[in-house]
Amino acid sequence: MESGQKYRKKVITIIFIVCLLVFAGQYAQIKRPVLVNTQGRTFETAVVIEILRDNLQNDGSRAGDQIVLLRLTSGNQSGQALEANCPNGMLFGTVCEPGKKVIVISSQIKSLEIHTVYSLDRSLPILLFVGVFFLLLCLVGGRKGVKSAVALLITFCCFLFLFFPMLLRGVAPIWAAVYTSLLILVITIWLINGSTCKALAAGTSAFGGVLTAGIAAGLFGYAAGLSGYNVSNIEALMFIGQSTSIDVGQLLFAGILFSSLGAVMDIAMDVSAAVDEMHRLKPEMQASALFTSGMNVGRDVMGTMASTLILAFFGGSLGIWVLDYVYALPYLQLINSNAIGIELMQGLSGSFGVIFTVPLAAFCSAWLPKWLGRR
């Protein structure tokens, strides 16, 4: 009987995921605007055969570009040896050596062909590290590790096939983020914990925490005069906004929802799992006592989780902080700069979401089973 129920749950889960993927695949079929003319330009893999002209100076520095001979390993000209220019830059190009694998931009303008080294070919190490990550997640986490890996892949698909298409279809970014966050929460918690009160409590409280973070960010932005139009790459975003129906001013606040999602989901599950475990060990415990215990657990986790969010945003904008520190900017300039204000808004709003999640998770995990009559 019990094995039959587990089998039905697995079948329902698989059917749900397949239907979701089919819907997402169809929904993502949307025509993107042509913002840049890329006709006649392709990116190909290649191997450096020979350095025809080096840019190494006597003092060991490099100036100017390298001229190299490459053998293409992809595309229509695969196997052919071609001459290419390798820029000497921090963002584009690399230092070519014979045998090095690189990415080449092949541009054709009528009968003229131009080949430029774009970067080092990083495909293999990136895929290797991603593969090792998923392998360790499955080995250490066991069955739940496998479910976590599946949930992570589905989360990526939600962004790629749901959130971005919603933006191009004219859905407001903040609402697109709310819908996507809710779907990610449901799928992740359902896959890992199944249809239990613990999962329901964790999902409900996590969604409440995410909404709190969004509301806090909106209030912070309104009070401090900050918006999505104060970000550093606003010129590029405005160009996209003029060519699409995307409200680029809301992207900042949509990003805050996603940034806080992982942290609030983590703390919601920690509190809900702790309360559920205490109830299993002592079924006679009253809901009020379970709530108090959940609050105690949540307080311990809350401090480190809030620090995690702040440190994550700090690490992501470390270059800005270093520049401000070295230039010794005065306090009034520093505290009123858009960049610092936005970083503080992101970190503090996410922390508000974490703080609110603790009592909500403790309350839901303590009282929902009593109201629903099951665990």
Side-chain angles (χ1 to χ4, degrees), residues 150-162 164 184:
V150 174
L152 190 58
L153 291 173
I154 294 177
T155 298
F156 176 76
C157 291
C158 285
F159 285 115
L160 192 60
F161 299 109
L162 184 63
F164 295 137
I184 291 173

Side-chain angles (χ1 to χ4, degrees), residues 273-345:
V275 172
D276 181 73
E277 189 65 21
M278 283 185 287
H279 184 270
R280 291 183 185 278
L281 294 175
K282 292 185 177 182
E284 69 278 5
M285 285 186 69
Q286 297 296 319
S288 57
L290 289 173
F291 172 77
T292 302
S293 299
M295 286 295 297
N296 292 333
V297 173
R299 290 189 184 103
D300 291 336
V301 182
M302 181 177 62
T304 56
M305 195 60 65
S307 298
T308 299
L309 273 174
I310 297 293
L311 291 173
F313 285 114
F314 176 79
S317 58
L318 184 59
I320 297 175
W321 292 97
V322 170
L323 285 173
D324 293 339
Y325 177 79
V326 173
Y327 279 101
L329 299 183
Y331 167 77
L332 288 178
Q333 179 183 357
L334 187 65
I335 198 66
N336 290 287
S337 67
N338 290 330
I340 297 300
I342 287 174
E343 293 300 327
L344 291 175
M345 179 177 69

Side-chain angles (χ1 to χ4, degrees), residues 11-300:
V11 172
I12 293 173
T13 302
I14 293 173
I15 292 175
F16 173 76
I17 293 175
V18 170
C19 292
L20 178 64
L21 293 177
V22 170
F23 167 76
Q26 293 296 320
Y27 190 78
Q29 300 299 320
I30 185 170
K31 187 177 180 181
R32 304 182 197 180
V34 179
L35 303 179
V36 180
N37 184 12
T38 59
Q39 186 176 3
R41 187 186 72 178
T42 60
F43 285 79
E44 309 293 351
T45 57
V47 177
V48 178
I49 301 174
E50 182 183 354
I51 308 299
L52 301 179
R53 190 186 74 196
D54 208 351
N55 56 358
L56 185 63
Q57 307 300 305
N58 294 330
D59 59 357
S61 63
R62 292 184 178 273
D65 299 344
Q66 287 178 307
I67 304 299
V68 297
L69 186 65
L70 307 172
R71 177 177 290 109
L72 296 181
T73 56
S74 68
N76 297 329
Q77 296 178 302
S78 179
Q80 295 187 24
L82 301 168
E83 186 177 306
N85 181 68
C86 181
N88 177 37
M90 296 293 183
L91 298 178
F92 303 102
T94 184
V95 178
C96 288
E97 298 172 352
K100 178 175 283 190
K101 296 181 179 180
V102 295
I103 302 298
V104 179
I105 303 176
S106 296
S107 303
Q108 185 170 2
I109 305 173
K110 295 183 179 180
S111 60
L112 177 64
E113 289 187 0
I114 302 174
H115 303 279
T116 306
V117 176
Y118 172 70
S119 71
L120 179 69
D121 187 356
R122 304 182 179 93
S123 305
L124 182 59
I126 289 175
L127 293 176
L128 180 62
F129 269 82
V130 171
V132 170
F133 165 74
F134 279 107
L135 179 62
L136 291 176
L137 183 63
C138 296
L139 290 177
V140 176
R143 291 181 61 184
K144 289 205 171 183
V146 175
K147 292 179 179 179
S148 299
V150 174
L152 190 58
L153 291 173
I154 294 177
T155 298
F156 176 76
C157 291
C158 285
F159 285 115
L160 192 60
F161 299 109
L162 184 63
F163 177 70
F164 295 137
M166 274 197 288
L167 296 183
L168 289 178
R169 288 178 181 271
V171 180
I174 191 68
W175 286 112
V178 169
Y179 301 148
T180 307
S181 298
L182 180 59
L183 183 60
I184 291 173
L185 273 173
V186 171
I187 292 175
T188 301
I189 295 178
W190 180 41
L191 278 177
I192 297 175
N193 294 279
S195 303
T196 61
C197 280
K198 176 175 68 174
L200 179 61
T204 303
S205 54
F207 189 63
V210 169
L211 292 182
T212 301
I215 294 172
L219 294 175
F220 192 115
Y222 176 79
L226 293 171
S227 70
Y229 296 99
N230 300 125
V231 295
S232 57
N233 58 342
I234 186 60
E235 287 81 7
L237 290 174
M238 287 295 293
F239 178 66
I240 292 177
Q242 293 169 0
S243 305
T244 64
S245 57
I246 299 176
D247 184 354
V248 297
Q250 292 188 18
L251 291 178
L252 173 64
F253 301 98
I256 290 176
L257 290 182
F258 291 133
S259 299
S260 61
L261 178 60
V264 298
M265 187 162 47
D266 191 5
I267 197 170
M269 182 52 65
D270 288 342
V271 174
S272 300
V275 172
D276 181 73
E277 189 65 21
M278 283 185 287
H279 184 270
R280 291 183 185 278
L281 294 175
K282 292 185 177 182
E284 69 278 5
M285 285 186 69
Q286 297 296 319
S288 57
L290 289 173
F291 172 77
T292 302
S293 299
M295 286 295 297
N296 292 333
V297 173
R299 290 189 184 103
D300 291 336

